[in-house]
Amino acid sequence: MNLLILPHIKIHNANALSSPFTIGFPAMTAWLGFTHALERKLNSKGFPDLMLHSVAVVSHHCDVQTYKGEGDFVHSIIGTGNPLDKDGSRSAFIEEARCHLDVSLVIEWSGNDEEVQNASFVEQLQSVIAGMKVAGGDVLSLYKPIIDSVIDSQDRSRLIRTLMPGYVLIERRDLMIEAMQEGADALDALLSYLTVNHSCEQLPDESIVWRSQRKARGWIVPIATGFQGISPLGEAKNQRDPTVPHRFAESVVTLGEFIMAHKVKHLDDMLWQYAPEVENDLYLCQQVNANNSY
């Protein structure tokens, strides 16, 4: 498997509003969208045969811009009023959730080996990425990209070491399916794995012990993995691209989990790719191995 590794991309003010009702790590659509945009830009820079098939996201640091003061019950979004109006007054406040990130991306590619192995490719790659938005944020810096090939377990171990310490985002759709088979609707199933339940017990000496626990172990988080079309294909006034049919859509939100990179057993367990279901009006991002066992 040919891999392109983009280590430690530092991103400023990435979009943390991953869906209409979740705030945190950017949606998977943002990462695959960046990968698709990168492929198209490199194709236009003299690498027409290069194809980027799938991507893995490894989080080293995520700083969500929120604030919780003393005595506050919930966190508040740290907002800005930029840019100022023409007369210098502060513009209307728009609630935007932002985060600063340090992530590594592992991208599966195919194409002309000689072109990609050439030293000029890495230089052009860095130049292209420096001018791109990633998840809506600005790229501050990144380490030198690595062109690698993984054939056996030793190669995989070497790759994993370059990603440590870091947390790989994987899908946990299996948890949603399990809860919904027990009778919960989708929202209840989602919340049941995110809620922290507190309970207390009175000991024989009349002291009280509190315990806090969640339904499942692990760093379970809500993630947005695509869109569900809710209107027929057509045209809309001022649509972004007039050559492409327009439709209204809602976010598809499911469960994911951050696991330490060294726990990844197979590379396909951490790689994501597009998996549209056009007949069901679904535009999804899904893992290459959708049946992982974490």
Side-chain angles (χ1 to χ4, degrees):
M1 180 184 292
N2 293 323
L3 296 175
L4 170 61
I5 304 165
L6 306 179
H8 289 278
I9 308 174
K10 295 188 184 301
I11 305 168
H12 184 72
N13 280 342
N15 180 17
L17 194 64
S18 52
S19 80
F21 51 91
T22 56
I23 289 177
F25 201 74
M28 271 316 301
T29 48
W31 303 109
L32 274 168
F34 164 75
T35 305
H36 188 200
L38 180 62
E39 176 189 279
R40 297 181 66 172
K41 286 181 178 293
L42 290 172
N43 289 163
S44 66
K45 293 287 185 182
F47 306 97
D49 299 327
L50 181 65
M51 298 180 66
L52 307 181
H53 302 285
S54 56
V55 61
V57 184
V58 183
S59 174
H60 303 289
H61 182 69
C62 178
D63 180 13
V64 181
Q65 296 299 288
T66 59
Y67 171 77
K68 185 178 182 182
E70 185 177 352
D72 292 347
F73 186 70
V74 296
H75 290 259
S76 301
I77 294 174
I78 300 174
T80 64
N82 301 320
L84 300 178
D85 290 336
K86 292 180 180 179
D87 59 359
S89 60
R90 186 169 295 279
S91 57
F93 180 78
I94 300 175
E95 201 170 64
E96 295 175 318
R98 301 167 294 116
C99 61
H100 305 326
L101 296 168
D102 179 358
V103 297
S104 292
L105 300 182
V106 180
I107 302 174
E108 180 189 8
W109 65 274
S110 66
N112 190 317
D113 284 359
E114 291 184 4
E115 289 181 348
V116 175
Q117 297 293 345
N118 193 302
S120 65
F121 172 78
V122 172
E123 295 177 3
Q124 290 207 42
L125 177 62
Q126 288 179 293
S127 174
V128 168
I129 294 175
M132 293 181 67
K133 289 277 189 178
V134 184
D138 300 311
V139 177
L140 298 181
S141 65
L142 79 156
Y143 289 4
K144 185 178 180 180
I146 302 169
I147 311 298
D148 201 356
S149 179
V150 173
I151 299 174
D152 52 29
S153 59
Q154 290 186 342
D155 296 335
R156 184 184 63 81
S157 299
R158 186 187 67 250
L159 168 67
I160 294 298
R161 284 196 295 273
T162 66
L163 303 176
M164 289 292 290
Y167 292 89
V168 178
L169 180 60
I170 64 171
E171 187 176 17
R172 293 304 307 270
R173 183 188 304 189
D174 57 304
L175 297 178
M176 290 287 292
I177 295 174
E178 180 182 330
M180 294 179 71
Q181 287 176 341
E182 294 173 355
D185 65 20
L187 187 57
D188 286 340
L190 186 79
L191 292 175
S192 67
Y193 283 97
L194 302 176
T195 306
V196 179
N197 299 304
H198 305 279
S199 62
C200 65
E201 179 184 1
Q202 185 172 23
L203 301 179
D205 61 359
E206 297 188 353
S207 62
I208 302 296
V209 176
W210 281 90
R211 294 184 177 84
S212 302
Q213 63 180 12
R214 300 174 75 172
K215 185 175 181 179
R217 299 183 64 182
W219 190 356
I220 308 294
V221 295
I223 55 170
T225 58
F227 300 96
Q228 168 75 67
I230 57 174
S231 71
L233 292 171
E235 296 182 359
K237 185 179 180 181
N238 298 327
Q239 66 187 61
R240 178 176 293 180
D241 186 347
T243 65
V244 178
H246 174 276
R247 87 180 330 162
F248 292 97
E250 289 185 343
S251 295
V252 173
V253 180
T254 185
L255 290 171
E257 181 177 358
F258 284 104
I259 62 171
M260 286 293 284
H262 70 82
K263 293 184 178 178
V264 174
K265 301 169 188 170
H266 307 284
L267 293 185
D268 284 347
D269 294 346
M270 67 180 192
L271 290 168
W272 293 74
Q273 63 184 358
Y274 287 122
E277 297 179 17
V278 180
E279 65 278 11
N280 295 321
D281 301 334
L282 281 168
Y283 307 91
L284 298 175
C285 305
Q286 198 173 64
Q287 294 202 267
V288 174
N289 177 17
N291 299 312
N292 60 56
S293 56
Y294 292 96

